[in-house]
Amino acid sequence: MWGYILRRLLLMIPTLAGIMLVTFAVIQFVPGGPVEQMVSKLEGRGAGGGEASAGSGAGAYRGSKGLDPAQIDALKKLYGFDRPVHERFLLLMKNCLTFDFGESYYHHRKVSELVVDKLPVSITLGLWSFFLTYLVSIPLGIRKAVRHGTPFDAVTSTLVLVGYSIPGFVLGILLIVLFGGGSFWSVFPIRGLTSDHWEQLSWLGKATDYLWHITLPVFAATVGSFAVMTMLTKNSFLEEIAKQYVTTARAKGLEERAVLYRHVFRNAMIPLITGFPASFVAAFFSGSLLIETIFSLDGLGLLGYESVINRDYPVVMATLFFFSLLGLAAKLLTDLSYLWVDPRISFDKVS
């Protein structure tokens, strides 16, 4: 097993380098980079400056004539675009490997500090959505498998599929209209994670205020996830219930509850447990831009969108490197979880 883990870790290096290389190559050909944007701002500011200074030879402003080549070269040097492409890429990989992501072109702050400031929103939406999905979907899926074909099964399938078909941002708007003071009831706040006076509240008041703020965005972000996990749980249990060992256990006189939770549960949960690491990482770090925008939550989803629009390359490359690394690690943990939950699986013979 350790040999398999070592091989997978070594394969992460070229995979990660390939992801970064492709992204780096793409952004080199995207127009409107940081140099072009700064030139546009400076030219616009000069053109709007109106009168020229008294010492100007022509007696007119120079903004409409554009920047001097020396100024453009200085901007290229400032953003590191004065170096050859291969040198920029090697420097990028070196900085990423040392977790030195540099400074944001747009926010003028260290990228690491910027990401840390946005994490509370991602933690809130990701963790709550992840745990609620598993806490609701697994018991519901088991119940649906036990009562397969009954009205309960039909009604719950309809509900979770309707929730799956409604986009999260549409549900968020509907919740704001109904419960956020839009047109009906003003029950829940619709801005931020906490109130302005949160620091003055007691610990119980802080917890209540926090939960009150996240109710609508978490509900809007989670409802669509119930269907996949619920139906996967149900189908997995139905497949195990139909097997011969379940018939044998029932023939021996075991109670249905003992058959279900002592024999079926462990085998049926294998596909769910093995997907746990990847689902956890994905839920933790995947920000929903529309959900964050609708509920005025400044998280990683909005940061990523702004970084692409503003050509903030340090933020784009740093977040891509970090998320790709976590994704590869989650994939390895997913493979190892098969071994931990099913002793019949072995990686000793895997080349």
Side-chain angles (χ1 to χ4, degrees):
M1 181 182 72
W2 293 108
Y4 175 80
I5 295 176
L6 180 60
R7 288 192 296 271
R8 288 294 301 272
L9 291 176
L10 292 176
L11 283 173
M12 287 183 184
I13 298 175
T15 303
L16 191 60
I19 294 173
M20 301 297 291
L21 177 60
V22 171
T23 307
F24 180 82
V26 169
I27 65 177
Q28 300 306 306
F29 300 99
V30 176
V35 175
E36 289 82 356
Q37 290 194 11
M38 183 58 68
V39 169
S40 298
K41 290 181 180 179
L42 293 177
E43 288 179 345
R45 185 180 307 156
E51 300 178 356
S53 60
S56 59
Y61 64 87
R62 299 179 58 194
S64 59
K65 298 181 181 180
L67 298 180
D68 292 334
Q71 292 177 299
I72 297 178
D73 291 339
L75 289 175
K76 290 182 178 180
K77 185 176 181 180
L78 175 64
Y79 292 113
F81 285 89
D82 59 327
R83 301 183 179 183
V85 175
H86 67 279
E87 289 187 12
R88 298 207 305 269
F89 177 72
L90 293 177
L91 180 62
L92 168 69
M93 293 303 300
K94 177 185 176 182
N95 292 338
C96 288
L97 291 175
T98 57
F99 294 96
D100 180 15
F101 301 117
E103 185 174 297
S104 167
Y105 296 157
Y106 181 72
H107 297 276
H108 305 291
R109 296 176 55 192
K110 287 186 177 181
V111 175
S112 56
E113 296 178 355
L114 196 60
V115 172
V116 169
D117 287 345
K118 311 298 182 180
L119 274 180
V121 172
S122 298
I123 293 174
T124 294
L125 293 178
L127 288 184
W128 281 107
S129 298
F130 174 80
F131 286 118
L132 285 176
T133 299
Y134 270 80
L135 289 175
V136 173
S137 298
I138 291 180
L140 180 60
I142 295 174
R143 189 65 174 173
K144 286 172 62 62
V146 173
R147 303 183 62 178
H148 178 63
T150 63
F152 172 82
D153 182 32
V155 171
T156 53
S157 294
T158 302
L159 291 176
V160 296
L161 291 176
V162 168
Y164 180 75
S165 65
I166 301 177
F169 69 93
V170 175
L171 181 59
I173 295 174
L174 178 62
L175 291 174
I176 290 176
V177 172
L178 292 177
F179 304 109
S183 299
F184 295 89
W185 305 281
S186 181
V187 180
F188 296 97
I190 58 172
R191 183 179 297 275
L193 294 178
T194 57
S195 300
D196 295 334
H197 62 286
W198 189 78
E199 293 293 341
Q200 285 72 43
L201 299 175
S202 62
W203 67 268
L204 181 59
K206 290 181 179 179
T208 303
D209 183 75
Y210 170 75
L211 293 175
W212 210 243
H213 276 76
I214 68 172
T215 298
L216 294 186
V218 169
F219 185 80
T222 307
V223 168
S225 304
F226 289 152
V228 175
M229 187 61 62
T230 299
M231 302 309 293
L232 179 61
T233 304
K234 175 191 173 182
N235 294 334
S236 181
F237 268 78
L238 285 177
E239 182 180 355
E240 292 298 324
I241 289 173
K243 291 184 177 179
Q244 186 63 40
Y245 74 89
V246 176
T247 304
T248 303
R250 288 170 175 169
K252 290 181 178 180
L254 289 179
E255 295 181 357
E256 188 65 23
R257 186 178 183 85
V259 173
L260 184 64
Y261 290 100
R262 190 181 303 173
H263 297 277
V264 176
F265 185 81
R266 180 176 180 179
N267 293 327
M269 290 300 293
I270 289 177
L272 303 178
I273 295 176
T274 51
F276 189 94
S279 299
F280 182 80
V281 172
F284 187 78
F285 288 103
S286 61
S288 175
L289 169 64
L290 295 176
I291 294 294
E292 292 177 9
T293 303
I294 291 171
F295 292 98
S296 301
L297 300 174
D298 190 10
L300 290 178
L302 189 59
L303 175 65
Y305 174 76
E306 290 179 346
S307 301
V308 173
I309 295 299
N310 297 309
R311 306 297 190 266
D312 198 348
Y313 295 153
V315 177
V316 173
M317 300 303 294
T319 52
L320 176 68
F321 174 83
F322 191 50
F323 295 161
S324 299
L325 182 62
L326 288 175
L328 293 172
K331 183 63 177 177
L332 175 60
L333 290 176
T334 298
D335 293 341
L336 294 178
S337 63
Y338 280 101
L339 180 63
W340 295 331
V341 300
D342 192 347
R344 298 171 295 179
I345 298 176
S346 175
F347 291 140
D348 293 336
K349 297 182 180 180
V350 177
S351 59

